[in-house]
Amino acid sequence: MSTPPLRIAVQKSGRLLDESIQLLKECGIKIDNGRDQLKAPARNFNAEVLYLRNSDIPQYIQDGVADIGIIGENTLIEKRKDAEVVLKLGFSKCRLSLATPRGTDYPGPEYLSGRRIATSYPNSLQDFLDKKNIDAEIHEISGSVEIAPNIGLADAICDLVSTGSTLFKNGLEEQDIILQSEAVIAASPRIDDARREILDKLVFRVKSVLAARNQKYLLMNVPNDSIEEVTKMLPGMRSPTVLPLAEEGWSSVHTVISEDRFWDIIDRLREAGAEGILIVPIAKMIL
C-alpha cells in the first residue's frame, strides 16, 4: 500500500509564494503547477502543494486538510489555531508594529490609552494591550491600514512593517514593535506517522539548503610557510583542507566560510601571502 502524499499548503499569490516555491525547488522538488491550479503534485517527491488564501492556511492545518504549511509566523499567532512550528525559514522577515502620524509626541505605549487603533491583527494587538494594561479602541479593517489616521478613522495603526517605506509614504512613524515574524514550516496536530516521516525528509533537505545560503566555499593558494598563519584565521567546518600544488612550496587551502566573515579577513589573508582566492556558492550543505 503506497503512502499518501504530504500535503503542503502555500500562499496562492505574493512574495511568500515565490520564496516558498523557490525553497522547494532548491530542495530538488519539482512541482507540476499550471495556471490557476489549486493543487499540484510533485514529480519526484511524495508530496502535493495546495495553493490557498494566506489567512485560511492556519485553519486548514488545524483541521488536517493540509499536513503542513509554509506561512508567516505572524499569521499563525494572529489566527490562534493549533499548529506546531517545525522550522523557522529565515525569509519573509517582518515585524508587527505600532505607528502614529509623524511628529506625534509618543512617550510610550501608554499614549494609546483611550485612543483608536486601526489594524488587521486585532488578536495580536489585544494581547499586547492586555500585557501593558492599556484600554484602547481597536478598529479592525482588512486592508489599507496606513490610510486610517489620515481619514480620521484612527489615532494610530498596528500593521506589518518590512522596510518602513510604506509608513513613511503615508506620513507615519514606527513607535513600538509588538512581535517579530518570519516564514515557518507549521505542521498539523493531525499529521499521521507516514506523512510525518515524509516531513522529516523534507525538513532535512530544507535545513541543508538554509545552511548553505550564507556560506561560501573558499579556496586559495598559500605559501607553505604561511599555512599555519592562514589556517588560524579560517573557521572551517572542522579544519581547512590543505592540498599540495604542483609548484613546490605552495599549497591549496580549502574551507567553508560565512560570506560576512570573509570580508572581515580578506585583507589579512592577502597580507599572509594568499593568492588566487576564489569564493564559490554552495547549493547544499549536509551538517
Side-chain angles (χ1 to χ4, degrees), residues 196-238:
R196 172 67 73 169
E197 188 172 336
I198 302 171
L199 171 57
D200 291 342
K201 292 178 181 178
L202 175 61
V203 167
F204 174 78
R205 294 192 186 194
V206 171
K207 285 182 176 179
S208 299
V209 169
L210 297 180
R213 282 192 171 174
N214 194 44
Q215 303 294 318
K216 297 291 183 284
Y217 191 73
L218 170 66
L219 58 158
M220 71 196 90
N221 297 330
V222 179
N224 286 345
D225 57 7
S226 298
I227 287 176
E228 184 177 356
E229 179 183 358
V230 166
T231 55
K232 284 181 179 178
M233 300 180 200
L234 303 173
M237 295 178 68
R238 285 191 182 273

Side-chain angles (χ1 to χ4, degrees), residues 61-75:
I61 293 173
Q62 176 175 281
D63 293 344
V65 175
D67 301 305
I68 65 169
I70 301 177
I71 188 171
E73 193 173 11
N74 59 288
T75 303

Side-chain angles (χ1 to χ4, degrees), residues 99-104 146 149-150 165-173:
T100 61
R102 198 176 303 133
T104 298
E146 306 86 7
N150 292 327
S165 61
T166 302
L167 293 181
F168 181 81
K169 290 175 184 177
N170 285 276
L172 299 172
E173 182 178 4

